[in-house]
Amino acid sequence: MICSAVIFDMDGVILNTEAVCRRAWHAAGPRFGLSYDDVEKSYEAGIGCSMPDTRDMLRGLFGTDFAAESYIEASTAEFHFIEEKEGLPLMKGVQSALEYLKRQGYRIALASSTHGATVRRQLTAAGVLQWFETVTTGDMVTHSKPDPEIYRMACRSLELAPADCAAVEDSPNGILSASRAGMKCIMVPDQIQPSATIKKFLWQQIPSLEEIPSIL
C-alpha cells in the first residue's frame, strides 16, 4: 500500500456543493454592490476556507467596511434554499471509490473547512457519513486551509503520521494545506484547475474519483 489512510475534503470532492455555493454567492452579490467579477474573484479565493477566514478575505478584497458577515449570511441563506429545493448530489465516482478503498484496507477520514453540524447533516442526507472513521471540521481548528492545521489534526485523529496519509482535494487551498502538513496530495479539480505552481505539490491528478483504483 502506498499509504495507510485516505483523507477526503467534502465540498467539491464528496458532495457537488461548489457549484451551488457559486450560484448562492452570485445571487447575494448584487445586494452588496458586488459585480460579477467581484463575486468570481472572492469566491475562488474563498474555496476551502472556514467562515472566519472567508470573512477576513472579503474585507481584505473589498475594504474593512464591507459587510462581510451579512454577505456570508445572505449567500448561506441562498445556498440552503437551493439545497432544500434541489438537494446536494454526490460527485462522480464517490460510492465506488469509497467501496474500493474499504475493500483494499485503507482507512478513510474527512477534513472539511465547513462547520461540523453542516458536514454531518449533508453527508447523512447523501448517505455516506458512515464511510468516514473520523470527521475533522472547520469549527475544530483556529486556521482553515491553506493552513495545514486541519490536515494535521485529521492525521492525529487516526493516530497516523501525515506521510502515511493521502489527501483528496479539489482546490488550490486544500492542496496547499495537505502539502504543508506533509501528505501525499491527490487533486480532483472541480471549479478551479491547478496552476503550474499548484501542480508542483501534487502526487497525482485525476479527472474524477472513478480513477482512484488506478492510483491506490
Side-chain angles (χ1 to χ4, degrees), residues 70-195:
S70 296
Y71 178 51
I72 292 170
E73 289 174 1
S75 59
T76 299
E78 293 285 351
F79 182 97
H80 288 159
F81 175 78
I82 298 170
E83 179 184 356
E84 291 175 6
K85 184 178 180 181
E86 302 175 15
L88 299 174
L90 291 171
M91 296 294 288
K92 184 178 181 181
V94 168
Q95 197 71 33
S96 61
L98 293 172
E99 291 172 356
Y100 167 81
L101 292 171
K102 191 71 171 180
R103 285 198 309 271
Q104 296 300 313
Y106 290 96
R107 298 173 70 186
I108 304 171
L110 191 101
S112 171
S113 295
T114 301
H115 193 278
T118 300
V119 167
R120 287 177 174 81
R121 184 189 78 243
Q122 292 177 346
L123 292 178
T124 298
V128 293
L129 179 63
Q130 72 278 5
W131 288 102
F132 301 101
E133 182 176 338
T134 66
V135 175
T136 307
T137 55
D139 51 309
M140 298 168 65
V141 298
T142 303
H143 301 291
S144 66
K145 305 168 188 177
D147 189 277
E149 181 182 5
I150 192 167
Y151 272 114
R152 287 173 178 164
M153 183 178 291
C155 293
R156 286 197 302 271
S157 75
L158 297 172
E159 299 183 340
L160 292 172
D164 294 327
C165 302
V168 184
E169 275 283 353
D170 69 307
S171 73
N173 280 341
I175 292 297
L176 289 172
S177 174
S179 177
R180 290 167 181 171
M183 303 170 69
K184 296 176 180 67
C185 299
I186 302 168
M187 190 170 191
V188 189
D190 180 25
Q191 299 289 305
I192 303 174
Q193 292 297 316
S195 65

Side-chain angles (χ1 to χ4, degrees), residues 10-19 88-95 170 188-191 207-210:
M10 183 182 78
D11 297 302
V13 175
I14 298 297
L15 298 180
N16 190 7
T17 53
E18 300 289 12
L88 299 174
L90 291 171
M91 296 294 288
K92 184 178 181 181
V94 168
Q95 197 71 33
D170 69 307
V188 189
D190 180 25
Q191 299 289 305
S208 80
L209 292 182
E210 289 182 321

